[in-house]
Structure formats: C-alpha cells, structure tokens
Amino acid sequence: VKNRYGPSEEVGCFDLSDTGIASVADPTGLFLSRHVDAVPGTCVTVTLEGRRPLLAEVQALVAQSSLATPRRATSGLDTSRVAMVLAVLERRGGIALQGRDVYAATVGGARLTEPAGDLALLLAVASGVRDLPVPPGLVAIGEVGLAGEIRRVTGTQRRLAEAERMGFDRALVPPDPGPVPVGIRTVEVGDVRSALDAAERPAAV
C-alpha cells in the first residue's frame, strides 16, 4: 500500500518468482476461484483499494455444530463485521443460525475491510444455509445496516464497470446507484429480504 509522495492508499500487486519481483498489471482475477459448476456458499463483490476496483470472492461454510456455543471463524474479513451481518441475517432475513458453525473467508488472501462487501457476505452465508448457489454472473455490492436496509457505497459506477469487464452481467446494488455501464444489469435491493429473494431468482432472458 503506497503511503507517501502523491496519492496515498493506492495498492500495487506484485508476483515474487525465481527471477525476482514482477508487477501484476491486472490482479483482479487473483481473488476469484474458478468453479466448473456453481457452488453454494460463494458470492462475488467489488472492493475499492484506493482508487482501484478489485473483484473479490467471499466464501461461507455453514455446518451443524456439536458445541454448546457454535464456532464463528473468519479469514480475510473483519470479525466484528461478520458477527453483525450474521445477526442481521438471522433477525431481519429469517435465516436460522442457532446451532450452526459458520466459517467465512475470502479467496486468494484478499482482505475485505470496507462495508461494501457486507451484502456479498450475507448472500454467501444464506446460500450456504439453503445449499442453493448464487446465480453465476452475479456480483453483490452494498452495506448492510442493523435495520436490515442495504445502503449505498462510494464508487458504485467504477465497481460495476470492473465487474462488467470481468464478464459479470448482473449486479445486486442498493437503490439509486446512479449511472451504470451498458453491459451489466442492475437489480436494486432496499433490504435484506429483497436481496435474498433477488439472489434466488435466475437472470431474466
């Protein structure tokens, strides 16, 4: 992360190999897994690192727990934010998590610290509970509030443009996202329940 001389908080990606360090010009694909078939418990979001949009995949595994206090384990995600999203999903979305262990992680060592990844985490956990995959080609961008609302985030247009460039054709976004790229269809969701319903529906032909 750049921290001096000009704009700070910019991110550079480099590959360390036998011949030295080489710059990775297009790193966004590093943080996505490639599945032949859709897998329950995964959802893609777009994070902003400085001014650079990067696609990141959130994965969640939900399993019955044999412990009195179910386990909550995270990797690459803020633990307190994960706990908040799980509470909102249970209370506002009607998804029961009592007696279930929840493991949440990002792919490729990415770290998601901004609220824009909340919606993808929520959908990944719900997908894991229901054992129903999120439709392919879908990204989710939005902050989840304690009242169950989906809030707008900064840089939505840049995020959607990057998702379209990487081949995604449908996005769940908060209401009033502003101008969007031509090649991606947005579905505006105002609360947790509408987001869960939209993620279950296949894309319109």
Side-chain angles (χ1 to χ4, degrees):
V1 179
K2 184 174 178 291
N3 60 19
R4 60 191 302 188
Y5 300 125
S8 61
E9 298 302 320
E10 290 301 311
V11 172
C13 292
F14 301 89
D15 180 39
L16 179 61
S17 65
D18 297 345
T19 57
I21 298 177
S23 175
V24 178
D26 188 11
T28 193
L30 296 175
F31 308 115
L32 301 177
S33 61
R34 302 297 179 184
H35 305 291
V36 177
D37 299 313
V39 178
T42 68
C43 189
V44 175
T45 188
V46 188
T47 182
L48 278 181
E49 296 292 343
R51 291 176 295 179
R52 168 181 280 178
L54 293 174
L55 270 71
E57 182 175 327
V58 180
Q59 297 185 337
L61 177 65
V62 182
Q64 289 296 324
S65 179
S66 59
L67 305 174
T69 303
R71 187 186 300 273
R72 302 286 187 260
T74 64
S75 176
L77 298 161
D78 181 71
T79 303
S80 60
R81 194 143 200 100
V82 171
M84 184 207 74
V85 170
L86 295 181
V88 172
L89 177 61
E90 187 163 26
R91 182 67 180 86
R92 308 294 183 186
I95 302 293
L97 296 172
Q98 304 99 325
R100 288 172 167 160
D101 294 330
V102 179
Y103 302 86
T106 56
V107 170
R111 284 197 58 81
L112 286 181
T113 57
E114 62 164 346
D118 289 354
L119 184 55
L121 171 62
L122 183 140
L123 294 179
V125 174
S127 170
V129 172
R130 294 171 169 176
D131 201 29
L132 292 173
V134 171
L138 181 142
V139 296
I141 302 167
E143 178 183 357
V144 174
L146 291 177
E149 77 278 16
I150 309 300
R151 299 174 181 163
R152 292 179 61 185
V153 295
T154 59
T156 300
Q157 187 174 8
R158 274 183 292 161
R159 298 175 199 261
L160 292 174
E162 180 68 4
E164 185 212 0
R165 187 180 73 84
M166 292 300 294
F168 290 83
D169 57 13
R170 185 169 169 236
L172 299 189
V173 295
D176 192 22
V180 299
V182 175
I184 191 167
R185 187 169 69 89
T186 57
V187 179
E188 298 181 20
V189 291
D191 54 46
V192 168
R193 288 190 180 272
S194 61
L196 294 173
D197 291 342
E200 284 188 349
R201 293 195 300 267
V205 178

